[in-house]
Amino acid sequence: MQTYNPKEIEEKWQQVWAQTNAFEPSQDFSKPKKYILSMLPYPSGEVHMGHVRNYAIGDALARYARQMGFNVLHPMGFDAFGMPAENAAIKHGVHPKKWTYENMAKMRQEFEALGFSFCQEREFATCAPDYTKIEQQFFIEMYQKGLVYQKKAWLNWCPHDKTILANEQVIDGRCWRCDCLVEQKEMPQYYLKITAYVEELLAGLKALEGHWPNQVLRMQENWMGKSSGMAFSFSLDEKSQELLGHSQGLEVFTTRIDTLYGVTFIALAPGHPFVQTLLDKGVLDPMATKEIIAIQNTNMRTRALEKRGVALPLKAIHPLTKEPIPVFVANFVLENYGSGALMGVPGCDPRDYEFATLLNIRVVPLIVGQEVPCNDEGILQNSHDYNGLSTTEAKEQLSTLFEEQGLGQKVINYRLQDWGISRQRYWGALIPMVHCASCGLVCEKLENLPILLPENVVIDGEGNPLDKHPNFRDCTCPQCGGKAQRETDTMDTFFQSSWYFLRYTTPKELWDKQAFEPKELAYWMAVDTYIGGIEHAILHLLYARFFTRALRDLGYVKLDEPFLTLITQGMVLKDGAKMSKSKGNVVTPREILNKHGADIARLYIHFVAPPHKELDWNDQALEGAARFLRRFYEKSFLAQPCDDAPKMELSSLSAEDKQARQKVHTALQKCHDIFNQAVPNYPFNTLIAACMEALNALEKSTNKEVWTEGYYILTHALEPIIPHVCFEIAQRLFNLSNFRPLKVDSKALEQDHINIAITINGKKRGLVSVLKDTPKEELLEAARQEVEKWLEGQKVLKEVVVPAKLVNFVIA
Ligand code: ANZ
Ligand code: ZN
């Protein structure tokens, strides 16, 4: 017997796999395919347990699919643009490109050491020139189709460093680098028109029901935030019209027209045109002006703020009561939602209530018998003709009235905004646009792509490195041929991750020639199973779903939904807390690899928790996994080497032999059941438990053939999880270099246990599973226990046993 030496075994097999290109997909498109994809990592240089878990899940699925004879695409790449590389440049003076590529090399090595069966040939980094080229092509084609446009937006601006800051670089309103107060600056930005697809993106979620985690579907739905309500205008009194210099009404959007009689104020977003007009005309007093500018200068992209507001010298007229209503600027009103103005109903809406309390605004209770604010349905009061009606009835009647009298119309609003993709950063894909003094904004010519980043830049956190470059901006106008200037904005890195899964379908030789190879694209897409962290539940998945449709409309792909099944893995914790450097509770994959090797690490990860649950790191369980693996390896020497699948003489088996076979085949059954779940969550922990039981049962058998068959099956069932050791054993015992689909011997399963139906007066009340030759008294006892609650307090008149079928109790 040999002792288990993971290092030797794992290095050997990793070499074999690399040398034989074991995991490259075949070009034989007549074979059924599986596209198994784990989310690609950001190359931070550090592989963490979250990665290992994510990739261990994907790898299990890919390996099982190969066993079953599928042509499998299981690629890996790097999401290689982004801010950390630039921060490293600012802090340590290392070029982002060098930093990124070095990190990728480190991570790739670690993935190899973990035995992940990634297709090597199609690996790419999203910062590669051929990738940027296609991306810029998409951008231009989208621009020409109206799917990209420019619009002004408020950005965080550090006046000291003269640079735009990402939201995560603003800490408590201050610049992360120089600590000075951040201002808001309005600048033109590029947007992708995701809102044009909102209905389709919402409708598409229906088809994913049962295939994606419910939580993710709900998060996507909420993010898009469809809501139906009414849009209508309040007119302004004469004095207000004079101040504004026009007689336009003030449009609001409400989902609760039934609360109209409770309106005691109107609130405008800080950037509402009326506010701007008043500021421009200089009709506000200095205090108010100052406060409004202060509010405009705070980051106001969320509603969940401490309320702040200023009264304006405007009066709106209530459309039904004709009473005057005060108008305010308020920081909780969103500019880009509805009309950027709302009717304040502090008796109902808690946000309005908070604001009203702060600014001493009248509160009218609207719902009978309820404290203010009450947002619920109920019976109305203080609502004139509508008193005594339910809120639902009032809503119907008032919307009908408004529509009939032309006062307002029903509208649908979405929370979803167009996707702003401009980033004022260096380490990203350049936006391929040119500014020409005579032609305006012009797309770069397709034949000039890719437009690549200059490498000789100074990255010090002050200003935009591209603006400071001596000649990067200089170019000729693609339209008039005159002198022009390049755009220096780069794209949001979500742009890259929105289509990388499509790119993997295309062989590497074609990457600098075309976006996709149409036949391969059609064959491989959609991704059969996509695995990743819940932190990507909203944006990444939504953008990828949108992008796929946008590329469909540009003629590149012929599908709508890119990911058929989604698995979101739970977080990896230590002592109940997220692993983090600051908490000092990080367990690195490297230390586990060094101490135990890849198979034990993988077995452990799959054994302690099913994929969707949190995994709380537990050293004892790790030891348990290590013990099982050693035993599994060492006991394999008790099996008899044989070429190919072992044969079995069934007639001479003892009870222990049968029991062992039953457990082994149960494990195989479990394996097939889990990997083929209709609504998948892949509880691999139960598969491992079944294999452990099978090994225990084998140890009670002395039959070599049973052992040999046992190992033949268990190496297959466990290969997706602990591949190296399974390959090693399968090669030594069975001369196997590939695993194959195995059938469960249903006779082996039935062997010992039979199901007995329990009836009372002929009515089925339960079922017990017992050993085949269970004595009558024992069987009756088990049956009585099974239907205990039905027999309680009853007098049993007769007990009938129909052998191997049923037990019937006759009661009075
Ligand atoms: C009166 C009211 C009474 C409202 C009530 C709600 C509850 P959802 O449902 O999320 O779509 N609103 C309208 N425009 C807004 C803006 N630009 N920024 C912030 N809030 C705005 O939200 C629609 C409701 O949010 C609208 O209905 C409006 O307040 C407010 F008991 O009108 B409601
Ligand atoms: Zn020009």
Coordinates of all heavy atoms in Angstrom, one line a residue, residues 436-440 442 477-484, ligand 2:
C436 N -13.8 67.5 -33.8 CA -13.3 68.4 -34.9 C -14.0 69.7 -34.8 O -15.2 69.8 -34.6 CB -13.6 67.7 -36.2 SG -13.3 68.8 -37.6
A437 N -13.2 70.8 -34.9 CA -13.7 72.1 -34.8 C -14.8 72.4 -35.9 O -15.8 73.1 -35.6 CB -12.6 73.2 -34.9
S438 N -14.6 71.8 -37.0 CA -15.7 72.1 -38.1 C -16.7 71.0 -38.2 O -17.9 71.3 -38.5 CB -15.0 72.3 -39.4 OG -13.9 71.5 -39.6
C439 N -16.4 69.8 -37.9 CA -17.4 68.7 -38.0 C -18.1 68.3 -36.7 O -19.1 67.5 -36.7 CB -16.8 67.4 -38.7 SG -15.8 67.8 -40.1
G440 N -17.6 68.7 -35.6 CA -18.2 68.3 -34.3 C -17.6 67.0 -33.9 O -16.5 66.6 -34.2
V442 N -17.1 63.2 -34.2 CA -17.1 62.3 -35.3 C -16.5 60.9 -34.9 O -15.6 60.9 -34.1 CB -16.1 62.8 -36.4 CG1 -16.3 62.0 -37.7 CG2 -16.5 64.3 -36.7
C477 N -9.1 64.6 -38.6 CA -10.6 64.4 -38.6 C -10.9 63.3 -39.6 O -10.6 63.5 -40.8 CB -11.3 65.7 -38.8 SG -13.1 65.4 -39.1
P478 N -11.6 62.3 -39.2 CA -12.0 61.2 -40.2 C -12.9 61.7 -41.2 O -13.1 61.1 -42.3 CB -12.7 60.2 -39.3 CG -12.5 60.6 -37.9 CD -12.1 62.0 -37.8
Q479 N -13.6 62.9 -41.0 CA -14.5 63.3 -42.0 C -14.0 64.4 -42.9 O -14.0 64.2 -44.1 CB -15.7 64.0 -41.2 CG -17.0 64.0 -42.0 CD -18.2 64.1 -41.0 OE1 -18.4 63.3 -40.2 NE2 -18.9 65.3 -41.1
C480 N -13.3 65.4 -42.4 CA -12.8 66.5 -43.3 C -11.3 66.5 -43.5 O -10.8 67.2 -44.3 CB -13.3 67.9 -42.7 SG -12.4 68.3 -41.2
G481 N -10.6 65.6 -42.7 CA -9.2 65.5 -42.9 C -8.4 66.6 -42.2 O -7.2 66.6 -42.3
G482 N -9.1 67.5 -41.6 CA -8.4 68.6 -40.9 C -7.9 68.2 -39.5 O -8.0 67.0 -39.1
K483 N -7.2 69.1 -38.8 CA -6.7 68.8 -37.5 C -7.8 68.6 -36.5 O -8.8 69.4 -36.5 CB -5.8 70.0 -37.0 CG -4.4 69.8 -37.6 CD -3.5 70.7 -36.7 CE -2.0 70.6 -37.3 NZ -1.2 71.7 -36.9
A484 N -7.7 67.6 -35.7 CA -8.8 67.3 -34.7 C -8.1 66.7 -33.5 O -6.9 66.5 -33.4 CB -9.8 66.4 -35.3
Ligands
ZN2 ZN -13.7 67.6 -39.4

